[in-house]
Amino acid sequence: MSPALLHTVDLDVGHGARALVRHIALELRPGALTALIGVNGSGKSTLLRTLAGLLPPLRGHVHAGGHDLRTLSAPERARRIALVTPAPAATGLLDVRTLVAFGRHPWTGRLGRLAPADHRAVEAAMDMAGIAHLARRPVDRLSDGERQQVVIARALAQATPVMLLDEPTAFLDLVNRVRIMRLLRTIATGQGKAMLLSTHDLRTALDHAHRLLVIDRGHAWAGTPGEALRNGHLARAFERDGLVLDPVTGALR
C-alpha cells in the first residue's frame, strides 16, 4: 500500500475552545477519492480548512509529505495541498486561462511571472479538466458546471499531490454533479492524487468515492462506502428529523 500523502494524528478541529470533531484519524493515499459526509454544522468545512493549514488544530497534528503543517510556510503548504472552494460568483473580466493560471502562484515567486513550464502546466490543467476549448471565454459567461471545472483546473495547475474540495457539486444539477464526480475520480486515479471532498450528495458519493469519511456528533469514521452502509455509520449520521437511510440503495427517505 502506498504511503499516505496526508495524515492526521489525534486531530481535534473547531473554533476557539469549541471542538466540532475530535480524535480524527485520517489517511489520504494517492489515487483515492474520499468523500466527506455529514449534516450541516458538523464541521466539514472546518476540517478541510484545518487540513489545508488555514485554521490551527485545537489538538493533534496534520502531516503532509512527511512534514507537520505548522512547520511549513504558506507557499510550502500551497505546493503540497490545494483547497478548492465553490466557484466564484463574479470574476470581473477574467478569462478562463487567466483564472486557471492563478494556480501557479505558489511556484512563481513574488513577481508572479509565468515561465514556459508554468504555461505548459496551465494548458495541461485545462486539458485534464476538459475546458481547453473555453480558454478565452470570460468566466462570467460560463455555466455553473463549467465554472466549477475552471476552479478544479486552477487547483490542478497548482500541481499539488493533495486536493481538498469544499462542496464542489453544490448548486449543480444532477447531470453536472455526476460529471464533476466522475472527473474528480478520473483525476485521482489517473494522476495519483489524494482527494478529499465534502458533499451533501450522498448517492453520488456512494457511487463514485473510493472511501468515505463520515462525521457524526463530533466523531469521524473512515472506510469504504460498502462498510459505511453495512456497519450503520451512515445510518446513525442521518437518521434524525424523520429521515431514515435505506442500507440497500443508500437513499434517504
Side-chain angles (χ1 to χ4, degrees):
M1 184 179 293
S2 301
L5 297 175
L6 183 146
H7 74 277
T8 65
V9 179
D10 198 22
L11 181 69
D12 290 0
V13 303
H15 302 281
R18 177 175 174 249
L20 293 174
V21 192
R22 297 180 181 274
H23 309 300
I24 303 166
L26 172 65
E27 292 185 341
L28 299 181
R29 297 187 180 276
L33 173 64
T34 301
L36 175 57
I37 304 293
V39 299
N40 284 339
S42 59
K44 298 189 300 297
S45 293
T46 300
L47 173 57
L48 288 173
R49 290 174 62 80
T50 303
L51 295 177
L54 301 181
L55 290 176
L58 300 189
R59 173 183 168 182
H61 303 273
V62 180
H63 293 271
H67 299 273
D68 189 315
L69 286 193
R70 288 178 290 193
T71 68
L72 301 176
S73 67
E76 288 172 330
R77 291 197 306 268
R79 293 177 194 134
R80 290 170 169 82
I81 302 169
L83 176 63
V84 179
T85 55
T91 55
L93 300 176
L94 291 181
D95 62 23
V96 167
R97 180 181 280 109
T98 301
L99 186 57
V100 173
F102 287 167
R104 296 303 299 166
H105 283 185
W107 303 95
T108 57
R110 285 177 293 181
L111 296 180
R113 293 176 179 169
L114 299 184
D118 297 308
H119 288 292
R120 289 194 294 271
V122 170
E123 298 300 323
M126 290 191 296
D127 283 338
M128 254 187 289
I131 57 167
H133 63 292
L134 301 174
R136 297 179 181 274
R137 184 87 59 86
V139 177
D140 283 350
R141 291 176 54 193
L142 300 179
S143 69
D144 290 340
E146 290 169 337
R147 204 173 289 181
Q148 195 60 50
Q149 286 174 269
V150 171
V151 295
I152 291 170
R154 182 179 61 190
L156 290 172
Q158 200 170 326
T160 59
V162 178
M163 288 178 62
L164 309 175
L165 303 101
D166 194 358
E167 294 284 354
T169 60
F171 312 116
L172 300 183
D173 59 29
L174 176 60
V175 172
N176 278 302
R177 291 201 304 268
V178 172
R179 187 158 58 89
I180 292 296
M181 288 293 285
R182 285 179 176 172
L183 170 65
L184 293 173
R185 182 181 172 107
T186 299
I187 292 170
T189 56
Q191 301 294 317
K193 292 182 181 290
M195 284 194 186
L196 175 65
L197 66 90
S198 64
T199 181
H200 287 98
D201 189 349
L202 182 56
R203 182 67 263 169
T204 305
L206 289 170
D207 287 342
H208 294 89
H210 298 101
R211 295 180 64 79
L212 300 183
L213 180 65
V214 182
I215 296 179
D216 178 32
R217 299 170 178 88
H219 299 281
W221 174 89
T224 67
E227 290 168 342
L229 285 171
R230 289 192 299 270
N231 62 23
H233 283 289
L234 276 176
R236 285 191 293 273
F238 287 97
E239 286 180 357
R240 61 187 72 183
D241 299 328
L243 291 176
V244 176
L245 179 73
D246 185 329
V248 176
T249 65
L252 291 169
R253 306 189 186 284

